[in-house]
Amino acid sequence: MLILAVTLVLFYAIISVILYNRNLDLLKSEVKQEAEYICTAVNISGPSYLEQMSQVDERTRVTQVDDEGNVLYDSSSEEDDMENHGTREEIEEALSSGTGEAVRMSDTLGRELYYYAVLLDDGSVLRVAKSMDNLALTALNVLPVMGILAVVTMALALLLAKWQTKRLIKPINELDLEHPLENTLYEELNPLLVAMDKQNKEKEAVSNMRKEFSANVSHELKTPLTSISGYAEIMKNGMVRPADIPVFSERIYKEARRLITLVEDIIKLSKLDEESVELEKEEINLYELTREVVSHLAPLASQKHIRIEITGEQVQCFGIRQILDEMIYNVCENAIKYNNEGGRVSVWVGNTLEGPKISVSDTGIGIPQEHQERIFERFYRVDKSHSKERGGTGLGLSIVKHGALLHGAKVSVESTPGKGTRMEMLFPRDKG
Ligand code: ADP
């Protein structure tokens, strides 16, 4: 509509100018012709011919001026009332070169006039003039036609635009968004449909993962609870000798502890899942943090006669303290849990070309190649009984993976069964 409106206005302006120029050209040739006739007639029959002129055509004004500029004859005014015409452009031109012309507003008539002057044989000048519409008047004459044209074309354009938009939008509204790739509509929409399909699949995967997770959680919670209730029932029925009561209590206590750890891990994971982790990122000394974690784990290591040591250098990282602590703790704890009696755990913290890095190596049981990818999944354990025996929930490395994602860090595993495992966490270089 806007383009049409602009086009119409431009068209109107151009057509007015063209019409005006055309009228002017026509008028000029007409006036010139008339002037030539009168000139010839006056040259033949003398100025008395002019006297009859005023009766012929009232729209044409004829004036005769002598070489001094005095008006000798004028078809529309009294000669005596008229001022000297010697300075008029067309008269001056005619006196010097034989003919002259000019377009200007007439003081006498109040309209635009075209003047054409010719030098007569007797040395005086004959001037013929006709009034014409100026540009504004020409434009005003064209206006009604243009107005009707504008209204009709605009109405037509509006109707067409509405109809076309409706036709284009209708199939889009009828798209099957559940199966975007099955629609064959506009080629231009394909990237959008592909993106939509990808998003649908991602949503489905997330929802499947949630379902699987809930099923796993229920199962994991049920196992220790069943054990606890079983042991308690045996004790309640008096089927346990007083001497065995400490053993049973110990089992109940262990299962209860496992339950608590499990619930704690689930809470940690679901907190990490809520993408907007409220905790603020801050500048953290990774070496100091790791040292604290290692010293917390020292009693667990010494129970198994495992030597744990930390080397490296002070290095800063921009992150969330609580989550980083959790990540380092889980990796170091695994290195102890899945180690052999009298084994070794070496922790290194330092700066590398790619960024700050924490590397944890153990001399433990190792992870077979085919399991290395999957150990980061929720509840995935290489050896279920082994893990449970060591108080594992199968969620530790999931927490590590989520934490790494939140920090833009990369976690890698290198492991040889029977020899040991090296787990590395590489953090992005601090931009500050
Ligand atoms: P868990 O609570 O069972 O330790 P994790 O998610 O921390 O759960 O680890 C998943 C599994 O990966 C463990 O059950 C274990 O089989 C294996 N794993 C992790 N770290 C090590 C390691 N350092 N050495 C050997 N196996 C490991």
Side-chain angles (χ1 to χ4, degrees), residues 86-295:
T87 52
R88 303 285 155 97
E89 195 186 332
E90 68 281 2
I91 307 277
E92 272 182 343
E93 247 177 68
L95 282 171
S96 63
S97 64
T99 57
E101 61 180 346
V103 175
R104 68 167 176 274
M105 288 293 287
S106 153
D107 304 332
T108 334
L109 298 176
R111 284 188 79 180
E112 203 162 76
L113 260 87
Y114 172 67
Y115 297 96
Y116 184 73
V118 197
L119 191 63
L120 293 174
D121 291 348
D122 64 1
S124 65
V125 172
L126 174 84
R127 190 185 71 173
V128 180
K130 259 185 197 248
S131 73
M132 55 180 279
D133 289 346
N134 59 15
L135 187 58
L137 222 60
T138 314
L140 208 64
N141 285 339
V142 186
L143 194 61
V145 181
M146 277 306 295
I148 293 169
L149 189 71
V151 170
V152 171
T153 49
M154 295 287 256
L156 213 66
L158 191 72
L159 279 176
L160 260 174
K162 275 197 168 168
W163 173 73
Q164 182 76 333
T165 321
K166 224 185 209 166
R167 204 173 64 93
L168 283 171
I169 293 294
K170 196 168 170 254
I172 295 180
N173 284 336
E174 287 168 0
L175 275 181
D176 176 8
L177 295 182
E178 293 291 316
H179 311 98
L181 293 187
E182 283 170 21
N183 301 291
T184 45
L185 185 58
Y186 307 123
E187 211 175 294
E188 293 80 356
L189 274 185
N190 283 352
L192 179 79
L193 294 177
V194 169
M196 226 177 236
D197 184 59
K198 197 173 147 216
Q199 212 173 39
N200 280 358
K201 283 192 179 132
E202 277 169 6
K203 266 191 207 153
E204 210 176 289
V206 169
S207 116
N208 282 345
M209 211 178 74
R210 290 237 160 93
K211 271 186 217 152
E212 206 178 304
F213 182 62
S214 315
N216 275 331
V217 165
S218 329
H219 177 74
E220 295 287 336
L221 289 176
K222 213 175 140 199
T223 323
L225 271 175
T226 316
S227 304
I228 293 172
S229 105
Y231 291 135
E233 195 178 8
I234 299 172
M235 285 164 80
K236 187 187 84 180
N237 294 342
M239 287 163 79
V240 179
R241 280 182 296 145
D244 287 339
I245 285 185
V247 180
F248 274 76
S249 316
E250 169 74 15
R251 283 182 189 164
I252 291 179
Y253 173 73
K254 260 195 170 163
E255 292 294 339
R257 283 292 339 154
R258 243 172 65 70
L259 247 167
I260 291 169
T261 330
L262 189 67
V263 170
E264 276 171 358
D265 276 1
I266 292 170
I267 291 171
K268 276 177 211 158
L269 251 184
S270 57
K271 263 194 192 152
L272 279 176
D273 259 352
E274 295 163 11
E275 275 176 10
S276 55
V277 177
E278 291 142 30
L279 302 162
E280 280 286 302
K281 278 195 178 175
E282 55 181 318
E283 202 66 46
I284 285 162
N285 186 331
L286 268 190
Y287 185 86
E288 280 308 313
L289 188 67
T290 314
R291 209 179 49 77
E292 278 168 32
V293 171
V294 168
S295 72

Side-chain angles (χ1 to χ4, degrees), residues 7 14 20 37 44 80 84 97 112 190 233 287 350 377 381 383 411 413:
T7 314
I14 292 168
Y20 170 76
Y37 289 151
I44 294 170
D80 299 339
N84 190 292
S97 64
E112 203 162 76
N190 283 352
E233 195 178 8
Y287 185 86
E377 289 173 18
R381 298 137 168 150
D383 180 346
V411 187
V413 198

Side-chain angles (χ1 to χ4, degrees), residues 334-335 337-338 362 365-367 375 380-383 387 392-398 421 423:
N334 279 352
K337 275 197 310 196
Y338 301 103
D362 63 58
I365 58 173
I367 309 161
I375 49 172
Y380 192 84
R381 298 137 168 150
V382 177
D383 180 346
S387 162
T393 58
L395 290 177
L397 288 182
S398 274
T421 306
M423 232 175 238

